[in-house]
Amino acid sequence: RRSRSKQSSVSSIADDQITDLVSKLQHLIPELRRRRFDKVSTSKVLQETCNYIRSLHREVEDLSDRLSQLLASTDSDSDQAAIIRSLLMQ
């Protein structure tokens, strides 16, 4: 019985932590932030979090491609290229 009691309290703490983390995620994700007063399921929060991470990844790839194109079209000795390189080094 003691082991069940300990196990129950441990899983209860973990459940509370998970609930807290899911709540924090809900506040971070723009799509869910708009619904902050609505009850949103944990699976919906996790699904929207994955979607948001994918969209951020696509945005980073797009920006990287655009930066590569800009650097390729800029004279490597120009002031503009030097500014871009200095920004990348920060």
Coordinates of all heavy atoms in Angstrom, one line a residue:
R1 N 0.8 -1.2 0.0 CA 0.0 0.0 0.0 C 0.9 1.3 0.0 O 0.5 2.2 -0.6 CB -0.9 0.0 1.2 CG -2.0 -1.0 1.1 CD -3.0 -0.8 2.2 NE -4.1 -1.8 2.0 CZ -5.3 -1.7 2.5 NH1 -5.6 -0.7 3.2 NH2 -6.2 -2.6 2.3
R2 N 1.9 1.2 0.7 CA 2.8 2.4 0.8 C 3.4 2.7 -0.6 O 3.4 3.9 -1.0 CB 4.0 2.2 1.7 CG 3.6 2.6 3.1 CD 4.9 2.6 3.9 NE 4.5 2.9 5.3 CZ 5.4 3.0 6.3 NH1 6.6 2.8 6.1 NH2 4.9 3.3 7.5
S3 N 3.8 1.7 -1.3 CA 4.3 1.9 -2.7 C 3.3 2.5 -3.6 O 3.6 3.4 -4.4 CB 4.9 0.7 -3.2 OG 3.9 -0.3 -3.5
R4 N 2.0 2.1 -3.5 CA 1.0 2.7 -4.3 C 0.7 4.1 -3.9 O 0.5 5.0 -4.7 CB -0.3 1.9 -4.1 CG -0.3 0.6 -4.9 CD -1.7 -0.1 -4.8 NE -1.6 -1.4 -5.4 CZ -2.6 -2.2 -5.4 NH1 -3.7 -1.9 -4.8 NH2 -2.5 -3.3 -6.0
S5 N 0.8 4.4 -2.6 CA 0.6 5.7 -2.1 C 1.7 6.7 -2.6 O 1.4 7.8 -3.1 CB 0.5 5.7 -0.6 OG 0.6 7.0 -0.1
K6 N 2.9 6.2 -2.5 CA 4.0 7.0 -3.0 C 3.9 7.2 -4.5 O 4.1 8.3 -5.0 CB 5.4 6.4 -2.6 CG 5.7 6.5 -1.2 CD 7.1 5.8 -0.9 CE 7.4 5.8 0.5 NZ 8.7 5.2 0.8
Q7 N 3.6 6.1 -5.2 CA 3.5 6.2 -6.6 C 2.4 7.1 -7.0 O 2.5 7.9 -8.0 CB 3.2 4.8 -7.2 CG 3.3 4.7 -8.7 CD 3.2 3.2 -9.1 OE1 2.5 2.4 -8.5 NE2 3.8 2.9 -10.2
S8 N 1.3 7.1 -6.3 CA 0.1 8.0 -6.6 C 0.5 9.4 -6.4 O 0.2 10.3 -7.3 CB -1.0 7.6 -5.7 OG -2.1 8.5 -5.9
S9 N 1.2 9.8 -5.4 CA 1.6 11.2 -5.1 C 2.6 11.6 -6.2 O 2.6 12.8 -6.6 CB 2.1 11.4 -3.7 OG 3.3 10.7 -3.5
V10 N 3.5 10.7 -6.6 CA 4.5 11.1 -7.6 C 3.8 11.4 -8.9 O 4.1 12.3 -9.6 CB 5.6 10.0 -7.7 CG1 6.5 10.2 -8.9 CG2 6.4 9.9 -6.4
S11 N 2.9 10.5 -9.3 CA 2.2 10.7 -10.6 C 1.4 12.0 -10.5 O 1.2 12.7 -11.5 CB 1.5 9.5 -11.0 OG 0.4 9.2 -10.1
S12 N 0.8 12.2 -9.4 CA 0.0 13.4 -9.2 C 0.9 14.7 -9.4 O 0.4 15.6 -10.0 CB -0.6 13.4 -7.8 OG -1.1 14.7 -7.5
I13 N 2.1 14.7 -8.8 CA 3.0 15.8 -9.0 C 3.3 16.0 -10.5 O 3.3 17.0 -11.1 CB 4.2 15.7 -8.2 CG1 3.9 15.7 -6.7 CG2 5.3 16.7 -8.5 CD1 5.0 15.3 -5.8
A14 N 3.6 14.9 -11.1 CA 3.9 14.9 -12.6 C 2.8 15.4 -13.4 O 2.9 16.2 -14.3 CB 4.3 13.5 -13.0
D15 N 1.5 15.0 -13.0 CA 0.4 15.5 -13.7 C 0.2 17.0 -13.6 O -0.1 17.7 -14.5 CB -0.9 14.8 -13.2 CG -1.0 13.3 -13.7 OD1 -0.2 12.9 -14.6 OD2 -1.8 12.6 -13.1
D16 N 0.5 17.5 -12.4 CA 0.4 18.9 -12.1 C 1.4 19.7 -12.9 O 1.1 20.7 -13.5 CB 0.6 19.2 -10.6 CG -0.6 18.8 -9.8 OD1 -1.6 18.5 -10.3 OD2 -0.4 18.7 -8.5
Q17 N 2.6 19.1 -13.0 CA 3.7 19.8 -13.8 C 3.3 19.8 -15.3 O 3.5 20.8 -16.0 CB 5.0 19.0 -13.6 CG 5.6 19.3 -12.2 CD 6.8 18.4 -12.0 OE1 7.0 17.4 -12.6 NE2 7.7 18.9 -11.1
I18 N 2.8 18.7 -15.8 CA 2.3 18.6 -17.2 C 1.3 19.6 -17.4 O 1.3 20.3 -18.4 CB 1.9 17.2 -17.5 CG1 3.1 16.2 -17.5 CG2 1.2 17.1 -18.9 CD1 2.8 14.8 -17.6
T19 N 0.3 19.7 -16.6 CA -0.8 20.7 -16.7 C -0.3 22.1 -16.7 O -0.7 22.9 -17.6 CB -1.8 20.5 -15.5 OG1 -2.3 19.2 -15.6 CG2 -2.9 21.5 -15.7
D20 N 0.7 22.4 -15.9 CA 1.3 23.7 -15.8 C 2.1 24.0 -17.1 O 1.9 25.1 -17.7 CB 2.2 23.8 -14.6 CG 2.8 25.2 -14.5 OD1 2.1 26.2 -14.5 OD2 4.1 25.3 -14.3
L21 N 2.8 23.0 -17.6 CA 3.6 23.2 -18.9 C 2.7 23.4 -20.1 O 2.9 24.2 -20.9 CB 4.5 22.0 -19.1 CG 5.7 22.0 -18.1 CD1 6.4 20.6 -18.3 CD2 6.6 23.1 -18.3
V22 N 1.6 22.6 -20.1 CA 0.6 22.8 -21.2 C 0.0 24.1 -21.2 O -0.2 24.8 -22.2 CB -0.4 21.6 -21.2 CG1 -1.6 21.9 -22.1 CG2 0.2 20.3 -21.5
S23 N -0.3 24.6 -20.0 CA -0.9 25.9 -19.8 C 0.1 27.0 -20.3 O -0.3 27.9 -21.0 CB -1.3 26.2 -18.4 OG -1.7 27.5 -18.2
K24 N 1.3 26.8 -20.0 CA 2.4 27.8 -20.4 C 2.5 27.8 -22.0 O 2.6 28.8 -22.6 CB 3.7 27.5 -19.8 CG 3.7 27.9 -18.3 CD 5.1 27.5 -17.7 CE 5.0 27.9 -16.2 NZ 6.3 27.5 -15.5
L25 N 2.4 26.6 -22.5 CA 2.5 26.4 -24.0 C 1.3 27.2 -24.6 O 1.5 27.9 -25.6 CB 2.5 25.0 -24.4 CG 3.8 24.2 -24.5 CD1 3.5 22.7 -24.8 CD2 4.7 24.8 -25.5
Q26 N 0.1 27.0 -24.0 CA -1.1 27.6 -24.6 C -0.9 29.1 -24.6 O -1.3 29.8 -25.6 CB -2.3 27.3 -23.7 CG -3.6 27.8 -24.3 CD -4.8 27.3 -23.6 OE1 -4.7 26.5 -22.6 NE2 -5.9 27.8 -23.9
H27 N -0.2 29.7 -23.7 CA 0.0 31.2 -23.6 C 1.1 31.6 -24.6 O 1.2 32.8 -25.0 CB 0.4 31.6 -22.2 CG -0.8 31.6 -21.3 ND1 -1.2 30.4 -20.7 CD2 -1.6 32.5 -20.9 CE1 -2.2 30.7 -19.9 NE2 -2.5 31.9 -20.0
L28 N 2.0 30.7 -25.1 CA 3.0 31.0 -26.0 C 2.6 30.9 -27.5 O 3.2 31.6 -28.3 CB 4.2 30.1 -25.7 CG 5.0 30.3 -24.5 CD1 6.0 29.2 -24.3 CD2 5.7 31.7 -24.4
I29 N 1.7 30.1 -27.8 CA 1.3 29.8 -29.1 C 0.3 30.8 -29.6 O -0.8 30.9 -29.0 CB 0.8 28.4 -29.3 CG1 1.8 27.4 -28.7 CG2 0.4 28.1 -30.8 CD1 3.1 27.4 -29.3
P30 N 0.6 31.6 -30.6 CA -0.4 32.7 -31.0 C -1.8 32.2 -31.3 O -2.8 32.8 -30.9 CB 0.3 33.3 -32.3 CG 1.7 32.9 -32.2 CD 1.8 31.6 -31.4
E31 N -1.9 31.1 -32.0 CA -3.2 30.5 -32.3 C -4.0 30.2 -31.1 O -5.3 30.4 -31.0 CB -3.1 29.3 -33.2 CG -4.4 28.6 -33.6 CD -5.3 29.4 -34.5 OE1 -4.7 30.2 -35.3 OE2 -6.5 29.3 -34.4
L32 N -3.4 29.8 -30.0 CA -4.1 29.4 -28.8 C -4.2 30.6 -27.8 O -5.1 30.6 -27.0 CB -3.3 28.3 -28.1 CG -3.3 27.0 -28.9 CD1 -2.4 26.0 -28.2 CD2 -4.7 26.4 -29.1
R33 N -3.3 31.6 -28.0 CA -3.4 32.7 -27.1 C -4.7 33.5 -27.3 O -5.2 34.0 -26.3 CB -2.2 33.7 -27.4 CG -1.8 34.6 -26.3 CD -0.6 35.4 -26.6 NE 0.5 34.7 -27.2 CZ 1.3 35.2 -28.1 NH1 1.1 36.4 -28.6 NH2 2.2 34.4 -28.6
R34 N -5.2 33.5 -28.5 CA -6.5 34.2 -28.8 C -7.6 33.5 -28.0 O -8.6 34.1 -27.8 CB -6.8 34.2 -30.3 CG -5.8 35.0 -31.0 CD -6.1 35.0 -32.5 NE -4.9 35.2 -33.2 CZ -4.4 34.3 -34.1 NH1 -5.0 33.2 -34.3 NH2 -3.3 34.6 -34.7
R35 N -7.5 32.2 -27.7 CA -8.5 31.4 -27.1 C -8.2 31.2 -25.6 O -8.7 30.2 -25.0 CB -8.7 30.1 -27.7 CG -8.9 30.0 -29.1 CD -9.1 28.6 -29.5 NE -8.7 28.4 -30.9 CZ -8.6 27.2 -31.4 NH1 -8.8 26.1 -30.7 NH2 -8.2 27.0 -32.7
R36 N -7.5 32.1 -25.0 CA -7.0 31.8 -23.6 C -8.1 31.6 -22.6 O -7.9 30.9 -21.6 CB -6.0 32.8 -23.2 CG -6.6 34.1 -22.7 CD -5.5 35.0 -22.2 NE -6.1 36.2 -21.9 CZ -5.5 37.4 -21.9 NH1 -4.2 37.4 -22.1 NH2 -6.1 38.5 -21.6
F37 N -9.3 32.1 -22.9 CA -10.4 31.8 -21.9 C -11.2 30.6 -22.2 O -12.0 30.2 -21.4 CB -11.3 33.1 -21.8 CG -10.5 34.3 -21.3 CD1 -10.3 35.4 -22.2 CD2 -10.0 34.4 -20.1 CE1 -9.6 36.5 -21.8 CE2 -9.3 35.5 -19.6 CZ -9.1 36.5 -20.5
D38 N -10.9 30.0 -23.4 CA -11.6 28.8 -23.8 C -10.9 27.6 -23.2 O -9.6 27.7 -23.1 CB -11.7 28.7 -25.3 CG -12.5 29.8 -26.0 OD1 -13.3 30.4 -25.2 OD2 -12.4 30.0 -27.2
K39 N -11.6 26.6 -22.9 CA -10.9 25.3 -22.5 C -10.4 24.6 -23.8 O -11.1 24.3 -24.7 CB -12.0 24.5 -21.8 CG -11.4 23.2 -21.2 CD -10.5 23.4 -20.1 CE -10.1 22.1 -19.5 NZ -9.0 22.2 -18.6
V40 N -9.1 24.4 -23.8 CA -8.5 23.8 -24.9 C -7.8 22.5 -24.4 O -7.1 22.4 -23.4 CB -7.4 24.7 -25.6 CG1 -6.7 24.0 -26.7 CG2 -8.0 26.0 -26.0
S41 N -8.1 21.4 -25.2 CA -7.5 20.1 -24.7 C -6.0 20.1 -24.8 O -5.4 20.8 -25.6 CB -8.1 19.0 -25.6 OG -7.6 19.0 -26.9
T42 N -5.4 19.2 -24.1 CA -4.0 19.0 -24.1 C -3.5 18.6 -25.5 O -2.5 19.1 -26.0 CB -3.5 18.0 -23.0 OG1 -3.9 18.5 -21.7 CG2 -2.0 17.8 -23.0
S43 N -4.2 17.7 -26.1 CA -3.8 17.2 -27.4 C -3.9 18.4 -28.4 O -3.0 18.5 -29.3 CB -4.7 16.1 -27.9 OG -6.0 16.5 -28.0
K44 N -4.9 19.3 -28.3 CA -5.0 20.4 -29.2 C -3.8 21.4 -29.0 O -3.2 21.9 -29.9 CB -6.3 21.2 -29.0 CG -6.5 22.4 -29.9 CD -6.7 22.0 -31.3 CE -7.0 23.2 -32.1 NZ -7.1 22.9 -33.6
V45 N -3.4 21.6 -27.7 CA -2.3 22.5 -27.4 C -1.0 21.9 -28.0 O -0.2 22.6 -28.6 CB -2.1 22.7 -25.9 CG1 -0.8 23.4 -25.5 CG2 -3.3 23.4 -25.3
L46 N -0.8 20.6 -27.8 CA 0.4 19.9 -28.4 C 0.4 20.0 -29.9 O 1.4 20.2 -30.5 CB 0.5 18.5 -27.9 CG 0.8 18.4 -26.3 CD1 0.8 17.0 -25.9 CD2 2.1 19.1 -25.9
Q47 N -0.8 19.7 -30.5 CA -0.9 19.8 -32.0 C -0.6 21.2 -32.5 O 0.2 21.3 -33.4 CB -2.3 19.4 -32.4 CG -2.5 19.3 -33.9 CD -4.0 18.9 -34.2 OE1 -4.9 19.1 -33.4 NE2 -4.1 18.4 -35.4
E48 N -1.1 22.2 -31.9 CA -0.9 23.6 -32.3 C 0.6 24.0 -32.1 O 1.1 24.7 -32.8 CB -1.8 24.5 -31.6 CG -3.3 24.4 -32.1 CD -3.4 24.8 -33.6 OE1 -2.7 25.6 -34.1 OE2 -4.3 24.1 -34.2
T49 N 1.2 23.5 -31.0 CA 2.6 23.7 -30.7 C 3.4 23.2 -31.8 O 4.3 23.8 -32.3 CB 3.0 23.1 -29.3 OG1 2.2 23.7 -28.3 CG2 4.5 23.4 -29.1
C50 N 3.2 21.9 -32.2 CA 3.9 21.3 -33.3 C 3.7 22.1 -34.6 O 4.7 22.3 -35.4 CB 3.5 19.9 -33.5 SG 4.0 18.8 -32.2
N51 N 2.5 22.5 -34.9 CA 2.2 23.3 -36.1 C 3.0 24.6 -36.1 O 3.6 25.1 -37.1 CB 0.7 23.6 -36.3 CG -0.1 22.4 -36.6 OD1 0.5 21.4 -37.1 ND2 -1.3 22.4 -36.3
Y52 N 3.0 25.3 -34.9 CA 3.7 26.5 -34.8 C 5.3 26.4 -35.0 O 5.9 27.2 -35.6 CB 3.4 27.1 -33.4 CG 4.0 28.5 -33.2 CD1 3.7 29.6 -34.0 CD2 4.9 28.8 -32.2 CE1 4.2 30.9 -33.8 CE2 5.4 30.0 -32.0 CZ 5.1 31.1 -32.8 OH 5.6 32.3 -32.6
I53 N 5.8 25.3 -34.4 CA 7.2 25.0 -34.6 C 7.5 24.8 -36.0 O 8.5 25.3 -36.5 CB 7.7 23.8 -33.7 CG1 7.6 24.3 -32.2 CG2 9.1 23.4 -34.0 CD1 7.8 23.1 -31.2
R54 N 6.7 24.0 -36.7 CA 6.9 23.8 -38.1 C 6.9 25.1 -38.9 O 7.7 25.3 -39.8 CB 5.8 22.9 -38.7 CG 6.1 21.4 -38.4 CD 5.0 20.5 -39.1 NE 5.0 19.2 -38.4 CZ 4.0 18.8 -37.6 NH1 2.9 19.6 -37.4 NH2 4.0 17.6 -37.0
S55 N 5.9 26.0 -38.6 CA 5.8 27.3 -39.3 C 7.0 28.1 -39.0 O 7.5 28.8 -39.9 CB 4.5 28.0 -39.0 OG 4.6 28.6 -37.7
L56 N 7.6 28.1 -37.8 CA 8.8 28.9 -37.5 C 10.0 28.3 -38.3 O 10.8 29.0 -38.8 CB 9.1 28.8 -36.0 CG 8.1 29.6 -35.1 CD1 8.5 29.3 -33.6 CD2 8.2 31.1 -35.4
H57 N 10.0 27.0 -38.4 CA 11.1 26.3 -39.1 C 11.0 26.7 -40.6 O 12.1 27.1 -41.2 CB 11.0 24.8 -39.0 CG 12.1 24.1 -39.6 ND1 12.1 23.5 -40.8 CD2 13.4 23.8 -39.1 CE1 13.3 22.9 -41.0 NE2 14.1 23.1 -40.0
R58 N 9.8 26.7 -41.2 CA 9.7 27.2 -42.6 C 10.1 28.6 -42.7 O 10.7 29.0 -43.7 CB 8.2 27.0 -43.1 CG 7.9 25.6 -43.4 CD 6.5 25.5 -44.1 NE 5.4 26.0 -43.3 CZ 4.7 25.3 -42.4 NH1 4.9 24.0 -42.3 NH2 3.7 25.9 -41.7
E59 N 9.7 29.5 -41.8 CA 10.1 30.9 -41.8 C 11.6 31.1 -41.8 O 12.2 31.9 -42.5 CB 9.4 31.6 -40.7 CG 9.5 33.1 -40.8 CD 8.7 33.8 -39.7 OE1 7.8 33.3 -39.1 OE2 9.0 35.0 -39.5
V60 N 12.3 30.3 -40.9 CA 13.7 30.4 -40.8 C 14.4 29.9 -42.1 O 15.3 30.6 -42.6 CB 14.3 29.5 -39.6 CG1 15.8 29.3 -39.7 CG2 13.9 30.1 -38.3
E61 N 13.9 28.9 -42.7 CA 14.4 28.4 -44.0 C 14.2 29.5 -45.1 O 15.1 29.7 -45.9 CB 13.7 27.1 -44.4 CG 14.2 25.9 -43.7 CD 13.5 24.6 -44.1 OE1 12.4 24.7 -44.7 OE2 14.0 23.5 -43.8
D62 N 13.0 30.1 -45.1 CA 12.7 31.1 -46.1 C 13.7 32.3 -45.9 O 14.2 32.8 -46.9 CB 11.3 31.6 -46.0 CG 10.9 32.7 -47.0 OD1 11.2 32.5 -48.2 OD2 10.4 33.7 -46.6
L63 N 13.8 32.8 -44.7 CA 14.8 33.9 -44.4 C 16.2 33.5 -44.8 O 16.9 34.4 -45.3 CB 14.6 34.3 -43.0 CG 13.3 35.0 -42.6 CD1 13.3 35.2 -41.1 CD2 13.2 36.3 -43.3
S64 N 16.6 32.3 -44.5 CA 17.9 31.9 -44.9 C 18.1 31.9 -46.4 O 19.2 32.3 -46.9 CB 18.2 30.5 -44.3 OG 19.4 30.0 -44.7
D65 N 17.1 31.4 -47.1 CA 17.2 31.4 -48.6 C 17.3 32.9 -49.1 O 18.1 33.2 -50.0 CB 16.0 30.7 -49.2 CG 16.0 29.2 -49.0 OD1 17.1 28.7 -48.6 OD2 14.9 28.6 -49.2
R66 N 16.5 33.7 -48.5 CA 16.5 35.1 -49.0 C 17.8 35.8 -48.7 O 18.4 36.5 -49.5 CB 15.3 35.9 -48.3 CG 14.0 35.5 -48.9 CD 12.8 36.0 -48.1 NE 12.8 37.5 -47.9 CZ 12.1 38.1 -47.1 NH1 11.2 37.4 -46.3 NH2 12.2 39.4 -46.9
L67 N 18.4 35.5 -47.5 CA 19.7 36.0 -47.2 C 20.8 35.5 -48.1 O 21.6 36.3 -48.5 CB 20.0 35.7 -45.7 CG 21.3 36.2 -45.2 CD1 21.4 37.7 -45.2 CD2 21.5 35.7 -43.7
S68 N 20.7 34.2 -48.4 CA 21.7 33.6 -49.4 C 21.6 34.3 -50.7 O 22.6 34.6 -51.3 CB 21.4 32.1 -49.5 OG 21.7 31.5 -48.3
Q69 N 20.4 34.6 -51.2 CA 20.2 35.2 -52.5 C 20.7 36.7 -52.4 O 21.4 37.1 -53.3 CB 18.7 35.3 -52.8 CG 18.2 33.9 -53.2 CD 16.6 33.9 -53.4 OE1 16.0 35.0 -53.2 NE2 16.1 32.8 -53.7
L70 N 20.5 37.4 -51.3 CA 21.0 38.7 -51.1 C 22.5 38.7 -51.1 O 23.1 39.6 -51.8 CB 20.4 39.3 -49.8 CG 20.9 40.7 -49.5 CD1 20.4 41.7 -50.6 CD2 20.3 41.2 -48.1
L71 N 23.1 37.8 -50.4 CA 24.5 37.8 -50.4 C 25.1 37.4 -51.7 O 26.2 38.0 -52.1 CB 25.0 36.8 -49.3 CG 24.9 37.2 -47.9 CD1 25.2 36.1 -46.9 CD2 25.7 38.4 -47.6
A72 N 24.5 36.6 -52.5 CA 25.0 36.2 -53.8 C 24.9 37.3 -54.8 O 25.7 37.4 -55.7 CB 24.2 35.0 -54.3
S73 N 23.9 38.2 -54.6 CA 23.7 39.3 -55.5 C 24.5 40.6 -55.1 O 24.5 41.6 -55.8 CB 22.2 39.6 -55.7 OG 21.8 40.2 -54.5
T74 N 25.2 40.5 -54.0 CA 25.9 41.6 -53.4 C 27.4 41.4 -53.7 O 27.9 40.4 -53.4 CB 25.6 41.8 -51.9 OG1 24.2 41.9 -51.7 CG2 26.3 43.0 -51.4
D75 N 28.0 42.5 -54.1 CA 29.5 42.5 -54.2 C 30.1 42.2 -52.8 O 29.8 42.9 -51.9 CB 30.0 43.8 -54.8 CG 31.5 43.8 -54.9 OD1 32.2 42.8 -54.9 OD2 32.1 44.9 -55.1
S76 N 30.9 41.1 -52.7 CA 31.5 40.7 -51.4 C 32.3 41.8 -50.7 O 32.5 41.7 -49.5 CB 32.2 39.4 -51.6 OG 33.4 39.6 -52.4
D77 N 32.8 42.7 -51.5 CA 33.6 43.8 -50.9 C 32.8 45.1 -50.6 O 33.4 46.1 -50.1 CB 34.8 44.2 -51.8 CG 35.8 43.0 -52.0 OD1 35.9 42.2 -51.0 OD2 36.4 42.9 -53.1
S78 N 31.5 45.1 -50.8 CA 30.7 46.3 -50.7 C 30.4 46.5 -49.2 O 30.5 45.6 -48.3 CB 29.4 46.1 -51.4 OG 28.5 45.2 -50.8
D79 N 30.0 47.7 -48.9 CA 29.6 48.1 -47.6 C 28.4 47.3 -47.1 O 28.3 46.9 -46.0 CB 29.3 49.6 -47.5 CG 30.5 50.5 -47.6 OD1 31.7 50.0 -47.4 OD2 30.4 51.7 -47.9
Q80 N 27.5 47.1 -48.0 CA 26.2 46.3 -47.7 C 26.6 44.9 -47.3 O 26.1 44.4 -46.3 CB 25.3 46.3 -48.9 CG 24.0 45.6 -48.7 CD 23.1 45.7 -49.9 OE1 23.5 45.9 -51.0 NE2 21.8 45.4 -49.7
A81 N 27.5 44.2 -48.0 CA 27.9 42.9 -47.6 C 28.6 42.9 -46.3 O 28.4 42.0 -45.5 CB 28.9 42.3 -48.7
A82 N 29.4 43.9 -46.0 CA 30.1 44.0 -44.7 C 29.1 44.1 -43.6 O 29.2 43.5 -42.5 CB 31.1 45.2 -44.7
I83 N 28.0 44.9 -43.8 CA 27.0 45.1 -42.8 C 26.3 43.8 -42.5 O 26.0 43.4 -41.4 CB 26.0 46.2 -43.2 CG1 26.7 47.6 -43.2 CG2 24.7 46.2 -42.3 CD1 25.9 48.7 -43.8
I84 N 25.9 43.1 -43.6 CA 25.2 41.8 -43.5 C 26.1 40.8 -42.7 O 25.6 40.1 -41.8 CB 24.8 41.2 -44.9 CG1 23.8 42.1 -45.5 CG2 24.3 39.8 -44.8 CD1 23.5 41.8 -47.0
R85 N 27.4 40.7 -43.1 CA 28.3 39.8 -42.4 C 28.4 40.2 -40.9 O 28.4 39.3 -40.0 CB 29.7 39.8 -43.0 CG 29.8 38.9 -44.2 CD 31.2 38.7 -44.7 NE 31.9 39.9 -45.0 CZ 31.9 40.5 -46.2 NH1 31.1 40.0 -47.2 NH2 32.5 41.7 -46.4
S86 N 28.5 41.5 -40.6 CA 28.6 41.9 -39.2 C 27.3 41.5 -38.4 O 27.4 41.1 -37.2 CB 28.9 43.4 -39.1 OG 27.8 44.2 -39.4
L87 N 26.1 41.6 -39.0 CA 24.9 41.2 -38.4 C 24.8 39.7 -38.1 O 24.3 39.3 -37.1 CB 23.7 41.7 -39.2 CG 23.4 43.2 -39.3 CD1 22.4 43.5 -40.3 CD2 23.1 43.7 -37.9
L88 N 25.4 39.0 -39.1 CA 25.4 37.5 -38.9 C 26.3 37.1 -37.8 O 26.1 36.0 -37.2 CB 25.7 36.8 -40.2 CG 24.7 37.0 -41.3 CD1 25.3 36.4 -42.6 CD2 23.4 36.3 -41.0
M89 N 27.4 37.8 -37.5 CA 28.3 37.4 -36.5 C 27.9 37.8 -35.1 O 28.5 37.3 -34.2 CB 29.7 38.1 -36.8 CG 30.3 37.7 -38.1 SD 30.6 36.0 -38.1 CE 31.2 35.7 -39.7
Q90 N 26.8 38.5 -35.0 CA 26.4 38.9 -33.6 C 25.7 37.8 -32.9 O 25.2 36.9 -33.4 CB 25.5 40.1 -33.7 CG 26.2 41.3 -34.1 CD 25.3 42.6 -34.2 OE1 24.1 42.5 -33.8 NE2 25.9 43.7 -34.5

